[in-house]
C-alpha cells in the first residue's frame, strides 16, 4: 500500500461537476489500496475574483488582510470535495493549512514553509480517511498564529512539502495538460509530451516561465528526493515523471529556507575569448557560433552584453587546451563582422584572456532566493576577488575570476555557505567542477517503484520557454572593482527583488582614472520600476552612471542536460532567430540553459522558431481545456 499526495489545480476543481470527477478519481485510488492526502486550489477564477473585490475596496490593500481574504478560496474547495467523497462512501476530512500544521515565516503573501507538524495529519490517515488540504496557505510560527499564504504556485508547494514531511511514496500534480510538454501548447499546439525530466531541467523551465510546476515545488522535490509526476485531470495518461537523485539526509526543519547551497565548485582550466564592437543586428551570433560549431570548439559560458550604440560585445569561455583553436576562429571571423552600413565603424576586436577560473555555488532555487547570489558576490568582494563574468541559473551561480584568486574565492565561499571540506582533502579534490567535455552523464534517478530511470530525448534540448513578464535594467559606467556587484545585488536582495540574467560588458573604459563597465540584468516586470527608482537614488552616491529600464523585452530559453558537450546547440538556436530576422539583445548561458533577450513583440515568434529548429514537435495536437 502506497501513501500518495495528490494536488488538483483551480481548473481541475472549477465546477461542481469537476469536483465530483476529482472525487471519483480519488475514490478509485483509495480502492486500489492506497492512503491519500489531497491538496486543492481555489475553484477556477475564485482567487482572481477575490483580488478584484479587494482592489475595489482599496488600491493598495493591506497584505495581512489579503492573506485572510485569499485563504478563503481554498476552504470552499476542501469542504465541497470532502462532501463529494463522503457521498461516495469514502471517509474524508477537510483541513486548512493551519489545521494541517503547515508553519511558515511571518511574511504575508509570500511566506516560505518552515516545517509541517504531521501528528494530526498522520492520525487521520491511519484512521482510513482521505485528508483534503487547502493548498497555498499556512500559519506563522509567531504566537499570534497569523494566517499566511505562499504566493503564486503555492498549492504545488504545499503538496510537495506535505509529501516530503510524510515521506510519501510519491506526489501527483493534476493539471489541465497531460504532463510536461516541450513548450506551452497554447503557443505551439504540437508541443511534445515528455515521459521524464530531471529536477534540474524542470527547475530551469519552471523559473523561465513554464507554468505547469512552480520552481519552489520542484526545489523541495529535488532537495528531499520526492518522486513527482504531472498528469492530466481529464485522462488516465501516465504523465511526466520529474526525477531526482537520491538525496543526502536533510532536516525537515526550516524546510524551505535551510541550506540553499550544496556545493562550491571551480575550474581553473579556463580561458576567455571576447569579440568587442560586433554589429548589433540579426545573424551576428549565428555566424560566430556557427563557425565555432563547425570547428568542433566546445564552449562553456556565453555572454552578450546590452548594446552600446550600434554594437555589442560577445564573450565565451573555453577550456585551455582548445584556446588556440577558439582564438583562431574568432580572429578569422572578426573582419566579416565589420558594419556594412557605417564604414567608419571600428572592426570587431578579439580579446583573449588566459589564467582565469570559474567558481560556482550549486544548489536549488538560486533565482527565487535573491539573497543567495548577493551573498556570493559580497563574499568574493570581502575576499578581494574581482568578478569578470557572471552566469546565473536556478541550480548554479558562476563567476569568472583571476586564476590566482581561485583558491581564496573557494575558501571564502565554503566558509560563507558552511560547506565542509574533509580533514585531509585538498580544495581541488573537494570541489571538482565538471566542464563541457567531461561534465558528463545524466546519472540515474529514482522512480516511484525504486527502479532506475534515465530520461532520454533524441534532441539535446528538452524544452523551450518564453517569459514575457521580465524587464531589463542597465547601469552604465559601474566602477570595475571588487564589491560593486555585491552592493548592487545586495540592495536588490534587501528589497526582495529576484534577479535572473546578469551580464557584465567586456568593454572597459577609464573615466577620471577609474576603470568602468556597464552591467545589465533582468527582473520581474512588476519589480522593474521600483528597482529603477531605488537604484537611481543611490547611483550618484556609489559612483554609478545612468540607470536605464526597458520593459518591452522577452526572454526565450532552451533547457536540456543533453546540451553538454555539443557546441552546435547554441549555433542552432541563434541561427533559428537569425532566419526570422530576430535580433538578439542579450545572451546568457549556464550548463543546461541558453537564454536570449529579444524585443517583446517578437517573443512568440522566437519561441516557435526555436522549437521547430530542434524538431521538438510531435504528431499530436494538445488542446488546453477552458
Amino acid at each position: 500500500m502506497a501513501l500518495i499526495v495528490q494536488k488538483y489545480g483551480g481548473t481541475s476543481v472549477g465546477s461542481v461537476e469537476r469536483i465530483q470527477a476529482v472525487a471519483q478519481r480519488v475514490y478509485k485510488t483509495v480502492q486500489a489500496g492506497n492512503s491519500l492526502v489531497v491538496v486543492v486550489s481555489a475553484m477556477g477564477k475564485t482567487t482572481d475574483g477575490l483580488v478584484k473585490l479587494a482592489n475595489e475596496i482599496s488600491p493598495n490593500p493591506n497584505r495581512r488582510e489579503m492573506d485572510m481574504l485569499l485563504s478563503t478560496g481554498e476552504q470552499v474547495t476542501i469542504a465541497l470535495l470532502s462532501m463529494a467523497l463522503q457521498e461516495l462512501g469514502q471517509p474524508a476530512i477537510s483541513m486548512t493549512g493551519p489545521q494541517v500544521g503547515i508553519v511558515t515565516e511571518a511574511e504575508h503573501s509570500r511566506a516560505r514553509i518552515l516545517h509541517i507538524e504531521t501528528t494530526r495529519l498522520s492520525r487521520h490517515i491511519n484512521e482510513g480517511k482521505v485528508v483534503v488540504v487547502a493548498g497555498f496557505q499556512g500559519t506563522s510560527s509567531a504566537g499570534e498564529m497569523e494566517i499566511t499564504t505562499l504566493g503564486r504556485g503555492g498549492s504545488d508547494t504545499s503538496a510537495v512539502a506535505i509529501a516530503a514531511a510524510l515521506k510519501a511514496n510519491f506526489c501527483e500534480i493534476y493539471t489541465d495538460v497531460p504532463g510536461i510538454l516541450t513548450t506551452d501548447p497554447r503557443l505551439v499546439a504540437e508541443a511534445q509530451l515528455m515521459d521524464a525530466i530531471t529536477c534540474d531541467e524542470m527547475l530551469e523551465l519552471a523559473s523561465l516561465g513554464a507554468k505547469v510546476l512552480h520552481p519552489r515545488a520542484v526545489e523541495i522535490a529535488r532537495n528531499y528526493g520526492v518522486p513527482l509526476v504531472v498528469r492530466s485531470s481529464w485522462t488516465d495518461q501516465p504523465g511526466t515523471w520529474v526525477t531526482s537523485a537520491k538525496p543526502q539526509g536533510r532536516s525537515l526543519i526550516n524546510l524551505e529556507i535551510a541550506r540553499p547551497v550544496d556545493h562550491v565548485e571551480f575550474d581553473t582550466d579556463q580561458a576567455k575569448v571576447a569579440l568587442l564592437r560586433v554589429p548589433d543586428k540579426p545573424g551576428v551570433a549565428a555566424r560566430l557560433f556557427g563557425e565555432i560549431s563547425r570547428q568542433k570548439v566546445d564552449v562553456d559560458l556565453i555572454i552578450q552584453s546590452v548594446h552600446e550604440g550600434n554594437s555589442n560585445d560577445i564573450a565565451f569561455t573555453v577550456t585551455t587546451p582548445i584556446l588556440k583553436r577558439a582564438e583562431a576562429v574568432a580572429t578569422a571571423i572578426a573582419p566579416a563582422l565589420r558594419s556594412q552600413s557605417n564604414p567608419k565603424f571600428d572592426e570587431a576586436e578579439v580579446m583573449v584572456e588566459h589564467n582565469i577560473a570559474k567558481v560556482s555555488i550549486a544548489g536549488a532555487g538560486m533565482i527565487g532566493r535573491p539573497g543567495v547570489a548577493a551573498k556570493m558576490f559580497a563574499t568574493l568582494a570581502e575576499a578581494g576577488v574581482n568578478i569578470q563574468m557572471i552566469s546565473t541559473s536556478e541550480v548554479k551561480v558562476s563567476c569568472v575570476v583571476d586564476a590566482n584568486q581561485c583558491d581564496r574565492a573557494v575558501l571564502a565561499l565554503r566558509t560563507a555557505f558552511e560547506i565542509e571540506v574533509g580533514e585531509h582533502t585538498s580544495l581541488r579534490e573537494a570541489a571538482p567542477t565538471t566542464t563541457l567535455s567531461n561534465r558528463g552523464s545524466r546519472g540515474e534517478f529514482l522512480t516511484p517503484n525504486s527502479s532506475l530511470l534515465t530520461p532520454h530525448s533524441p534532441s539535446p534540448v528538452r524544452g523551450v520557454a518564453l517569459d514575457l513578464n521580465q524587464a531589463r535594467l542597465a547601469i552604465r559606467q559601474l566602477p570595475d572593482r571588487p564589491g560593486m556587484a555585491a552592493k548592487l545585488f545586495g540592495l536588490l536582495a534587501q528589497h526582495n527583488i529576484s534577479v535572473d540574467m546578469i551580464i557584465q560588458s567586456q568593454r572597459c573604459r577609464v573615466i577620471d582614472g577609474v576603470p568602468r563597465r556597464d552591467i545589465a540584468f533582468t527582473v520581474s516586470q512588476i519589480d522593474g520600476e521600483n528597482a529603477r527608482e531605488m537604484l537611481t537614488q543611490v547611483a550618484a552616491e556609489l559612483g554609478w552612471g545612468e540607470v536605464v529600464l526597458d520593459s518591452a523585452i522577452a526572454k526565450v530559453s532552451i533547457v536540456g542536460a543533453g546540451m553538454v558537450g555539443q557546441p552546435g546547440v547554441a549555433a542552432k538556436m541563434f541561427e533559428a532567430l537569425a532566419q526570422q530576422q530576430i535580433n538578439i539583445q542579450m545572451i546568457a548561458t549556464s550548463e543546461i540553459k541558453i537564454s536570449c533577450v529579444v524585443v517583446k513583440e517578437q517573443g512568440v515568434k522566437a519561441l516557435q522558431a526555436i522549437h521547430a529548429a530542434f524538431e521538438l514537435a510531435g504528431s499530436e495536437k494538445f488542446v488546453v481545456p477552458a
Side-chain angles (χ1 to χ4, degrees), residues 230-496:
V230 178
R231 291 183 171 141
S232 170
S233 296
W234 323 113
T235 72
D236 292 322
Q237 291 181 334
T240 305
W241 285 97
V242 182
T243 60
S244 57
K246 187 175 182 179
Q248 298 177 348
R250 180 185 284 261
S251 172
L252 287 163
I253 302 299
N254 292 332
L255 190 145
E256 275 202 276
I257 65 172
R259 198 180 174 109
V261 175
D262 297 323
H263 307 288
V264 175
E265 305 171 348
F266 69 94
D267 184 0
T268 54
D269 192 23
Q270 294 247 320
K272 180 174 69 176
V273 179
L275 277 81
L276 310 184
R277 297 183 298 278
V278 299
D280 181 34
K281 63 181 183 182
V284 171
R287 291 187 65 181
L288 171 60
F289 289 98
E291 187 59 34
I292 285 173
S293 172
R294 284 187 286 275
Q295 297 301 322
K296 307 297 183 186
V297 174
D298 282 358
V299 300
D300 189 352
L301 304 182
I302 303 173
I303 300 294
Q304 177 181 307
S305 63
V306 63
H307 69 88
E308 183 173 344
N310 296 315
S311 69
N312 280 324
D313 302 334
I314 299 179
F316 57 94
T317 60
V318 296
T319 56
T320 303
I322 61 172
L323 173 60
K324 288 186 177 179
R325 199 161 14 128
E327 183 180 0
V329 172
T331 301
I333 201 171
L337 298 180
R338 183 184 294 117
S339 173
Q340 302 299 316
S341 60
N342 185 355
K344 295 182 180 180
F345 191 82
D346 290 336
E347 182 177 323
E349 174 189 350
V350 178
M351 181 177 70
V352 176
E353 190 162 349
H354 304 262
N355 301 317
I356 63 169
K358 182 177 73 172
V359 294
S360 308
I361 55 173
M366 300 292 184
I367 293 172
R369 304 189 194 190
V372 176
K375 183 175 181 177
M376 180 186 191
F377 303 150
T379 299
L380 294 177
E382 289 168 6
V385 177
N386 197 36
I387 301 170
Q388 300 180 23
M389 295 172 72
I390 298 170
S391 167
T392 59
S393 77
E394 272 289 353
V395 297
K396 188 173 289 189
V397 179
S398 301
C399 295
V400 170
V401 302
D402 285 338
N404 61 12
Q405 297 180 326
C406 181
D407 282 355
R408 188 161 79 242
V410 171
L411 277 170
L413 291 171
R414 283 188 168 275
T415 301
F417 289 103
E418 301 178 357
I419 306 296
E420 295 181 2
V421 181
E423 185 177 351
H424 301 294
T425 309
S426 71
L427 276 177
R428 282 185 171 80
E429 290 171 338
T433 283
T434 51
T435 64
L436 271 176
S437 56
N438 68 9
R439 76 178 148 234
S441 82
R442 298 186 189 171
E444 296 176 317
F445 304 91
L446 291 176
T447 63
N449 60 5
S450 299
S451 61
L452 292 174
L453 172 71
T454 301
H456 172 73
S457 170
S459 170
V461 175
R462 305 303 310 283
V464 186
L466 176 66
D467 192 342
L468 296 171
N469 298 308
Q470 291 217 329
R472 179 181 61 216
L473 285 146
I475 302 178
R476 303 293 187 183
Q477 300 175 10
L478 209 72
D480 185 31
R481 57 173 179 253
M484 282 295 102
K487 286 182 180 177
L488 169 57
F489 296 106
L491 282 169
L492 293 168
Q494 288 172 21
H495 289 77
N496 204 34

Side-chain angles (χ1 to χ4, degrees), residues 117-134:
E117 301 283 356
T118 59
T119 304
R120 186 177 180 188
L121 188 56
S122 297
R123 175 164 51 83
H124 288 305
I125 294 170
N126 292 334
E127 291 170 353
K129 297 175 185 174
V130 171
V131 184
V132 184
V133 179

Side-chain angles (χ1 to χ4, degrees), residues 18-91:
R18 289 183 176 180
I19 288 173
Q20 290 171 329
V22 166
Q24 288 285 351
R25 185 186 291 270
V26 170
Y27 181 68
K28 289 179 183 177
T29 305
V30 175
Q31 290 299 300
N34 302 296
S35 297
L36 214 58
V37 175
V38 180
V39 177
V40 293
S41 300
M43 294 175 63
K45 301 293 184 180
T46 297
T47 301
D48 292 342
L50 293 172
V51 171
K52 183 180 178 182
L53 284 173
N55 289 332
E56 289 175 2
I57 296 291
S58 168
N60 186 27
N62 178 276
R63 283 169 55 193
R64 178 194 182 276
E65 302 309 328
M66 283 300 292
D67 275 3
M68 188 68 76
L69 175 66
L70 297 183
S71 65
T72 63
E74 282 73 19
Q75 292 181 46
V76 173
T77 316
I78 60 174
L80 292 175
L81 180 55
S82 294
M83 293 174 192
L85 286 166
Q86 291 162 6
E87 283 298 304
L88 295 173
Q90 172 58 49

